[in-house]
Amino acid sequence: MITERLKAIVLAAGLVWGGMATAQPKLTLRLDKADKTVSPTLYGLMTEEINFSYEGGLYAQLIRNTSFKEDKNGQQPNPWTPWKTGGPKFWTLSDTVASHIAIELNDGINRANPKSLRWDAAKGSRLLNDGYWGFPVRSGEKYEGAFYAKTAGDAPAKLTVSLVSTDGSTVYAVTTVDGIGRKWSRHTFTLTAPASVKATKDVKFCVTADEAGKYWLTRVTLFPQTFNNRPNGMRRDLMQMMCDMHPKFLRFPGGNYVEGNDFRNRFDWKRTVGNPDERPGHMSPWGYPSTDGMGLLEFLEWAEDVGAEPLLAVFAGYTLSGDYVTGDYVDGFVRDALDEIEYITGGPGTNWGAQRVRDGHPAPFPLHYIEVGNEDFFDKSGSYPSRFKKFYDAIKARYPQLQVISTVDARMMERQAAETCVKDVKYDLIDEHYYRNTAEMYRAFHQYDAYDRKGPKIFCGEWASREGEPTTNMNAALGDAAWMAGMERNSDIVVAHCYAPLFVNVNPHGMQWKSDLIGYDALTAYGSPSYYAQCMFAGNVGDRIVPVEVNGLPQMNVNGSRLDQVYYTATREARTGRVYLKLVNGGSTPVMLTVEHIGGKVGGKGVWTVLKSAKPEDTNSIDRPRAIVPATTKTKTGKAFQIKLAPYSINVLSY
């Protein structure tokens, strides 16, 4: 057994006890060799409709089942099977004895909204909507609403609309809508919560019949104040949280959402533009319907409002059910993709550019990347090379400046192309997806070091350390930070990456996928530790990659494996010389680290931002939203300095 005296001798020699390092831990930043460029689009966002990300999430519209398409008895399976409506989901009556409601299947306002609600109302009867697990009521909040209505009576009728407590005892906001006649007409209204109200989500939307009668309603909508006051807009707190992530791009509409479970329910972008009241909606792949209120233009404006540019995924002829078309039959979808690009980038003299102008956005949007499909490595038919080639050739012929992304790797593309006799398949980038645990992320830190710089560039379009639920814990954030450090060090080949999924509604049945970045309910939102790691990394990055030489970095034991304890990346701003150093300590012990620089000038004062927790399983939640948040202090730097990394910590230094 080794003696305490020998331990002291070992420690005095500058060694880390336990055999985990053989020298004083040191990083040397080679500022004189910072010649590779950081990709300007490195950090971005990925989105799709999952976990009620749009409906009941980012899309600010609050009424659930706006057009009464969701039936308690589900959907009629086919025309010849006997079926009857069971009434609308998420709508109830206060009085089911004197009043009745039923869905009219063929008495709507247009082809997109063929259904309506018939309400045989007694005087004072109340029709209530649950919203998406409630409605957010805040001090002074203003709500803009609308509905289509008609009545059976000859005299114009009126209805009272309000926001009320779930027990009906408190009215938070109320107004009256009059002039309802025998023909369908659209009515708008405004509700305003008083300044004295205490914030709550235990609220229902209420329509009250002022007089007994027969009424029909459809397309009932209600918006709180939206980000940048856009009509048909986005939830303010979630948009601000994304702005704070400093994204350079937004990958949309998915993800599985672009494919859909079948051809009918793919993201058919042409059905999502124009008047929201004329969009039919479709079923999302994750078991609930999408109204398509969040359509193509709304995605584009979302990107614009958070300071990002769109990274567009186009439907490529393959669905999640495994159904597909080969390249011989994909031409219609290729034309759809070309039209979609024209909608985004075309001038007013083009067909689809003119449609965008009519929709309210005269200026074209920037666009540099097009992704053909999503996760087509799941397509075992071997059809992707023939489909992809049709898209690539057509896009390059009309838009040669665009970069086209493959969703399968080079090996699979080459093998399937050979098997299906498809020749001369070209692509600019490959999309790679990685869902791992934290230990796997640590092991993958050097993954991109060995990638061939003469090969295609990499877009890591979905990735996450999947630990914690509904949002990630600190251990996942440590794995995420190590993975981001590895990508940033190799951002000459990794041109873009984005975490997934971005959002989760934390209410019961709101989550379909665990370990998400941002959680919320109807009233509030919070960031996971991984969210704050993203903000720290994306908000502190230069434009040149600084090579880092390491010496004596300690190791740690993770589930019986010896893994590095410290992970790192450094970049520099060429114009100002400012250095951004990112350090991750995944271990349970602190690490005293020496940082030296070769070449260049280094400032003597820096800013040090730390995200840490006492235990790796610590996390944030809807009830404890700021248990783990970054803390920033000033620190001394210079040509050589020491820094002590706390256990389970993510550190960003700027100097």
Side-chain angles (χ1 to χ4, degrees):
M1 181 177 291
I2 197 163
T3 65
E4 293 299 318
R5 182 180 178 187
L6 181 56
K7 285 184 184 180
I9 293 172
V10 170
L11 290 173
L15 303 180
V16 177
W17 180 249
M20 292 190 179
T22 59
Q24 180 70 35
K26 184 174 73 171
L27 299 182
T28 302
L29 277 60
R30 297 303 303 265
L31 302 180
D32 58 330
K33 295 184 178 181
D35 50 3
K36 292 183 178 179
T37 300
V38 176
S39 170
T41 57
L42 183 59
Y43 292 94
L45 303 172
M46 182 271 175
T47 176
E48 64 175 305
E49 180 61 292
I50 184 175
N51 298 330
F52 290 85
S53 291
Y54 307 155
E55 311 289 342
L58 180 63
Y59 182 46
Q61 200 288 118
L62 299 173
I63 302 291
R64 194 164 184 183
N65 197 9
T66 63
S67 299
F68 307 102
K69 295 177 181 178
E70 294 184 74
D71 196 290
K72 291 178 180 177
N73 285 348
Q75 301 299 313
Q76 187 173 9
N78 52 60
W80 55 85
T81 300
W83 180 87
K84 64 178 182 179
T85 175
K89 281 186 174 182
F90 314 113
W91 292 88
T92 56
L93 275 178
S94 61
D95 173 12
T96 58
V97 176
S99 301
H100 306 277
I101 55 175
I103 295 177
E104 297 279 2
L105 300 179
N106 297 294
D107 190 18
I109 54 173
N110 51 39
R111 291 183 64 185
N113 294 283
K115 297 181 180 181
S116 63
L117 183 74
R118 189 189 75 241
W119 180 17
D120 299 316
K123 183 176 181 178
S125 175
R126 296 191 301 167
L127 179 65
L128 299 161
N129 184 259
D130 298 334
Y132 290 91
W133 297 279
F135 288 80
V137 168
R138 303 180 183 88
S139 172
E141 184 83 53
K142 185 177 287 187
Y143 306 83
E144 300 295 337
F147 58 73
Y148 287 81
K150 64 179 182 177
T151 183
D154 292 328
K158 64 179 180 178
L159 296 170
T160 296
V161 294
S162 58
L163 290 169
V164 301
S165 59
T166 51
D167 63 6
S169 63
T170 303
V171 177
Y172 296 109
V174 63
T175 193
T176 299
V177 178
D178 54 21
I180 300 171
R182 295 180 65 88
K183 294 183 178 181
W184 283 115
S185 57
R186 186 173 187 267
H187 302 267
T188 61
F189 59 89
T190 300
L191 294 170
T192 304
S196 59
V197 73
K198 183 179 179 180
T200 180
K201 61 181 175 61
D202 297 326
V203 178
K204 291 179 181 283
F205 175 77
C206 178
V207 184
T208 303
D210 290 13
E211 299 292 339
K214 185 176 289 188
Y215 305 91
W216 286 262
L217 295 170
T218 194
R219 275 296 290 167
V220 187
T221 60
L222 186 70
F223 284 86
Q225 293 164 270
T226 61
F227 192 79
N228 285 349
N229 295 313
R230 286 196 185 272
N232 199 49
M234 307 299 142
R235 182 168 156 170
R236 288 175 295 171
D237 54 352
L238 296 179
M239 287 291 287
Q240 186 57 56
M241 290 181 73
M242 286 184 287
C243 289
D244 294 343
M245 292 175 69
H246 314 283
K248 300 305 181 184
F249 68 88
L250 171 67
R251 177 188 178 222
F252 69 84
N256 294 336
Y257 194 56
V258 71
E259 301 158 299
N261 285 326
D262 49 46
F263 281 92
R264 178 185 177 186
N265 288 300
R266 71 189 189 278
F267 185 76
D268 189 353
W269 74 269
K270 289 178 179 176
R271 291 156 65 93
T272 75
V273 297
N275 184 351
D277 291 342
E278 297 175 359
R279 303 178 190 177
H282 69 290
M283 183 60 69
S284 82
W286 294 95
Y288 58 91
S290 170
T291 65
D292 286 331
M294 174 91 75
L296 177 58
L297 180 62
E298 286 76 23
F299 280 115
L300 295 167
E301 291 177 333
W302 168 9
E304 184 176 68
D305 284 349
V306 298
E309 68 173 49
L311 190 156
L312 177 67
V314 298
F315 180 73
Y318 172 77
T319 71
L320 293 172
S321 65
D323 201 4
Y324 67 94
V325 296
T326 63
D328 295 333
Y329 298 96
V330 81
D331 291 352
F333 299 127
V334 173
R335 285 193 296 271
D336 277 348
L338 294 174
D339 291 345
E340 191 170 11
I341 296 169
E342 185 176 280
Y343 183 94
I344 296 169
T345 65
T350 63
N351 182 35
W352 287 104
Q355 178 65 50
R356 186 198 64 245
V357 173
R358 290 193 294 272
D359 291 343
H361 200 285
F365 293 91
L367 184 67
H368 293 94
Y369 295 99
I370 302 293
E371 183 164 17
V372 179
N374 172 69
E375 295 184 336
D376 289 85
F377 48 77
F378 285 122
D379 176 15
K380 303 307 180 184
S381 73
S383 68
Y384 187 65
S386 66
R387 293 186 283 114
F388 180 87
K389 180 175 172 58
K390 282 286 187 77
F391 281 90
Y392 183 93
D393 291 349
I395 292 169
K396 287 291 188 177
R398 188 175 298 183
Y399 303 100
Q401 76 280 11
L402 295 181
Q403 298 287 289
V404 183
I405 305 170
S406 165
T407 71
V408 307
D409 63 27
R411 184 177 299 177
M412 177 176 280
M413 183 74 87
E414 183 178 350
R415 176 177 58 80
Q416 290 187 346
E419 291 171 351
T420 55
C421 300
V422 179
K423 298 180 180 180
D424 299 323
V425 181
K426 300 176 182 178
Y427 44 88
D428 301 308
L429 292 89
I430 292 173
D431 184 2
E432 298 184 345
H433 294 180
Y434 297 105
Y435 292 104
R436 296 164 165 157
N437 62 36
T438 294
E440 291 168 334
M441 286 300 196
Y442 290 154
R443 292 189 185 96
F445 174 65
H446 292 287
Q447 174 177 321
Y448 290 116
D449 295 3
Y451 272 44
D452 183 2
R453 265 49 184 178
K454 296 179 181 179
K457 301 290 188 180
I458 301 300
F459 167 46
C460 192
E462 294 183 28
W463 65 266
S465 303
R466 297 199 65 203
E467 298 189 22
E469 63 175 278
T471 52
T472 55
N473 58 26
M474 185 64 199
N475 204 44
L478 293 166
D480 290 347
W483 177 244
M484 285 191 290
M487 289 189 287
E488 185 176 285
R489 291 173 57 249
N490 290 280
S491 56
D492 58 319
I493 189 168
V494 181
V495 301
H497 71 81
C498 44
Y499 184 102
L502 181 61
F503 292 130
V504 61
N505 190 310
V506 300
N507 281 290
H509 312 296
M511 179 181 69
Q512 292 84 50
W513 185 276
K514 299 177 182 178
S515 305
D516 307 297
L517 204 64
I518 296 172
Y520 49 84
D521 59 17
L523 187 65
T524 60
Y526 70 96
S528 65
S530 293
Y531 163 79
Y532 289 110
Q534 292 261 335
C535 294
M536 292 166 62
F537 269 57
N540 294 277
V541 60
D543 52 19
R544 295 291 185 272
I545 302 169
V546 177
V548 179
E549 297 173 354
V550 302
N551 184 49
L553 292 186
Q555 289 191 321
M556 59 183 174
N557 188 309
V558 180
N559 300 325
S561 297
R562 305 284 277 186
L563 300 176
D564 290 341
Q565 183 171 341
V566 175
Y567 301 87
Y568 53 86
T569 178
T571 61
R572 194 182 197 195
E573 208 168 76
R575 184 179 63 84
T576 65
R578 193 164 190 84
V579 175
Y580 300 92
L581 175 61
K582 298 164 185 174
L583 302 166
V584 182
N585 180 5
S588 59
T589 58
V591 175
M592 182 63 76
L593 192 64
T594 298
V595 179
E596 296 182 351
H597 304 78
I598 297 177
K601 295 181 179 180
V602 179
K605 297 179 180 179
V607 177
W608 182 10
T609 302
V610 183
L611 184 73
K612 64 180 180 178
S613 68
K615 296 180 292 184
E617 61 269 22
D618 290 343
T619 194
N620 296 334
S621 67
I622 200 74
D623 298 317
R624 298 180 70 243
R626 296 184 60 81
I628 303 171
V629 296
T632 299
T633 59
K634 294 181 179 179
T635 187
K636 291 182 179 180
T637 56
K639 205 69 172 177
F641 63 90
Q642 286 193 321
I643 182 171
K644 186 177 183 180
L645 307 181
Y648 308 126
S649 68
I650 300 168
N651 305 263
V652 175
L653 288 91
S654 169
Y655 53 91

